[in-house]
Structure formats: structure tokens, C-alpha cells
Amino acid sequence: MTIMSHSSCLTLVLLCLYNICFSEALKSGFSVEIIHRDSSRSPFYRATETQFQRVTNAVRRSMNRANHFNQISVYSNAVESPVTLLDDGDYLMSYSLGTPPFPVYGIVDTASDIIWVQCQLCETCYNDTSPMFDPSYSKTYKNLPCSSTTCKSVQGTSCSSDERKICEHTVNYKDGSHSQGDLIVETVTLGSYNDPFVHFPRTVIGCIRNTNVSFDSIGIVGLGGGPVSLVPQLSSSISKKFSYCLAPISDRSSKLKFGDAAMVSGDGTVSTRIVFKDWKKFYYLTLEAFSVGNNRIEFRSSSSRSSGKGNIIIDSGTTFTVLPDDVYSKLESAVADVVKLERAEDPLKQFSLCYKSTYDKVDVPVITAHFSGADVKLNALNTFIVASHRVVCLAFLSSQSGAIFGNLAQQNFLVGYDLQRKIVSFKPTDCTKQ
């Protein structure tokens, strides 16, 4: 055997060993930093906005998402939005696209099932002054053929009318707005903290090229259950596991973990089954009841969509927990029966149960969410919000739409999704120290 042959064999062996080690390293896990949209580091940040304006905006976003989820479940034949609502969602991550890597922000969204970005080739996009990803400068950018299995698996796709025959994606919203774009294949680069950057080639993303929806050049990193969300696309590398720990302070960063690093275990951990429906886009859980002290409020609703198994969506993008009107009414009454503080009017006109108190002195009961097989104890930071100076309000919203377990209720919990076992786990954790 020649020296050249020995050298080639050695190179091949080393390359194989590197790939094996890299694959195992990915399975052992990696993490990325996520920030709140109201953080001073966020592109959404507005220095002139008051805390109370931010609460009002969070209520609006929460109700918008609840109404949107309801439309999807009612109009099952309608084209789903790949991004839920374009400017909604509370937590963002920074990542890179293409070769060389181009940095972008995306809203981390467990209710979206695609990675989506506004591209430079967008003909009618808003906020053109912000830098946008230009796929023509990337060495790894490729269009996805409309004949591909992936293109056919995504709802709302079609074949381009030109000779390229590429996979196009169109979404028409009920308010008359629309978004159009291509599904492309590109390298996604993730990584933060002390972890090395990791590259995921041949990742399918949506590249918007035509929209009349106004937003701030922020895309979506979908973590939902659909076939082209980030999680199933990385499934062989991360064993279908991810977790997050949301810090209760908007200027403190939080952590999103993938792979074995996302395992949730140890004292205080409780787990409940995920129920998949329809397009497997949302993560439904089964909420059996709430309890306030010894008062148990069964989660039964006149709405058929909020009854039985899989009656509530767990969502990283909705701020407040949204409940059917009848369930909310009973929960509010149970809280009002035990809280002895002086009642107050909500100056924001958003909440119906408020008290005169400062947040650090609010004396309210623990509210336990009884999921199937998992009791999750919610403290004041999960259940009350500062509405104005010396006024705090019960941070649940009433709606005729379906139920959502929002991210405020998830703060200071390590929340893990194991999609192989089809469970979500909760562990009380100080997320400011993660």
C-alpha cells in the first residue's frame, strides 16, 4: 500500500471518529441563550415604554394568540400560519444562517412548526432599514424542490409556476393579510454561553419574499410538533429533547437546552403526557383541575375544545394563562374568597381581580395546576402581575377560545419536552441561576 493510500485511510478514519464524537457530543447536549422581548438587549425594546404599557401589550398578544389557536382548531381545513402571529411571542434567540454565517433573531415559539426568516429578496416587507438575510450571498443556500417529500408534508405549499419548480409557501390570514415565500435548505448555526457553536446543514427554513404584515424583521424559531420545526429536524442529534428555564426578570437571560442536557429529573420533578392532535403542531396537556387551598376547581368547560384529554396548550409564546370563561370565573371566585387584601380597580382595564398591594408584600395562596399525573404549584410570581403602582392583579385571562398555559405560569420552572416519551416535565428552579 502506498504512502498516499495510508494517508487517505488515516484521514478517513479520523473523519469518521470526528463525526462519531461530534454526534455524541451533540446528544450530550448544548444550550443557547434566550432573552425576553422587553429586555434592553432585545430588538423589540422601546425605552419610552412603561412597565404598565408592556403589561397591556402582553395582554393583547395573549388574546391574539388564543384567538388564532382557536381559529386553527375550528377551521381545520384552512391554511395554518407557519408563525402563529408575526410580531407575537415573548422570548427571542440569536442564531445564524448560511455560509458565511449571518446573525438573525427569532422568536422561540413552541406553537409554531417552522423556522422562518424575512429575506433580503422580500419585495414588500416592512422595516427595510434593518439588515436581512440575503440567501444569494450564502454558499450553502439551496431551494427545496416542490417534488420533495418535505415540501409535500408542509401545509400551505405549492409548486412555483416557473421552470425552477421550487417549493413555495403561502399563508392567508383571516384579516386579509398574507405572507408568501419559499422553503429553502440552509445551514443553521446555534450556540452560546460556554458551549461551542454547532452547525446544522441542510435545515429547512421559510424565506419570506412577499408580505403585507408589519413586523420588525424578526423571524420565528418554531419548536412545535410539525415536520419542519427545529426539534424534529435536529431529532437525530438531540434525541428529540429540549427544555427551557424562564427567568422572572425581563433583563435576565434564560436558557434553552437541547439533547441530554435538556433532561429534567431529581427532587420535585413531575411529568405529564403530551396529547397530539390534528397536525401535531401544538403540545396539548390534560389539565384536570386547579386548587386554591382546599378548594378544588374542576377543569370542566361548556366548550368541547376545553374538555377531556388534551384540553390545554402549553405555550412559550403566550404571556398569560388563558382559561374558558366558566373555569376562569370559578378560579377567580376561589382566589377572592381567601385573599384578604383591599380590592382595587385595574387602571389598565385588563384584569377583573385586583388588590391594593405592592408585589413584594402580596399575600396570596399557592394555586396548584393539577395536570394528569403532575401537580404544578404556582407561586405569586406565576399568578399575579403588577398592574400599576401599588396594584396587583390575578394574571389569568378569560376567553371563549381554547385554554393556554402561558409562560408567566412557567417562570422559575425547568420545563422539559421529551418527544420520544411524549411527556412534559416541570421542576421548580431558580432560573436566574441557570
Side-chain angles (χ1 to χ4, degrees), residues 332-393:
E332 181 188 292
S333 178
V335 173
D337 285 345
V338 297
V339 175
K340 304 307 180 185
L341 299 169
E342 183 180 353
R343 293 284 289 267
E345 291 291 324
D346 173 21
L348 304 177
K349 309 300 182 185
Q350 304 291 341
F351 304 99
S352 58
L353 182 60
C354 299
Y355 297 96
K356 292 182 179 180
S357 178
T358 57
Y359 189 73
D360 58 336
K361 294 182 179 179
V362 63
D363 184 15
V364 296
V366 170
I367 298 177
T368 303
H370 300 283
F371 293 100
S372 175
D375 290 346
V376 179
K377 296 184 182 299
L378 306 177
N379 296 308
L381 71 87
N382 306 114
T383 58
F384 275 78
I385 192 79
V386 179
S388 71
H389 182 62
R390 297 186 65 83
V391 175
V392 296
C393 299

Side-chain angles (χ1 to χ4, degrees), residues 227-247:
V228 291
S229 90
L230 183 64
V231 178
Q233 291 202 72
L234 305 187
S235 61
S236 61
S237 300
I238 63 172
S239 303
K240 295 185 178 180
K241 299 184 186 74
F242 71 95
S243 70
Y244 49 74
C245 200
L246 305 179

Side-chain angles (χ1 to χ4, degrees), residues 161-224:
S161 57
D162 59 23
E163 60 183 14
R164 296 179 302 162
K165 301 299 180 184
I166 61 175
C167 186
E168 296 183 332
H169 193 284
T170 302
V171 179
N172 295 307
Y173 301 91
K174 288 184 69 63
D175 64 359
S177 57
H178 69 273
S179 293
Q180 296 174 320
D182 305 326
L183 289 189
I184 67 172
V185 180
E186 187 54 283
T187 295
V188 171
T189 301
L190 305 174
S192 68
Y193 289 98
N194 295 322
D195 297 317
F197 288 101
V198 288
H199 308 280
F200 296 97
R202 299 181 297 279
T203 302
V204 177
I205 67 170
C207 189
I208 293 296
R209 56 177 169 77
N210 189 338
T211 182
N212 61 358
V213 180
S214 177
F215 56 98
D216 286 337
S217 294
I218 302 298
I220 296 289
V221 179
L223 299 178

Side-chain angles (χ1 to χ4, degrees), residues 247-320:
I249 304 169
S250 63
D251 251 359
R252 295 291 294 269
S253 63
S254 301
K255 238 180 183 181
L256 173 65
K257 297 181 178 181
F258 296 92
D260 290 346
M263 288 287 292
V264 181
S265 60
D267 292 344
T269 301
V270 294
S271 301
T272 187
R273 304 245 354 137
I274 299 171
V275 178
F276 287 109
K277 300 181 181 181
D278 303 325
W279 298 96
K280 295 187 176 182
K281 175 176 180 175
F282 301 133
Y283 299 117
Y284 286 92
L285 307 180
T286 301
L287 182 60
E288 298 174 345
F290 286 107
S291 63
V292 182
N294 295 323
N295 188 354
R296 184 179 172 98
I297 302 101
E298 296 297 326
F299 195 84
R300 296 194 184 99
S301 172
S302 56
S303 169
S304 61
R305 294 186 303 278
S306 297
S307 302
K309 291 185 178 180
N311 55 14
I312 189 167
I313 296 169
I314 182 170
D315 182 30
S316 67
T318 303
T319 306
F320 298 105

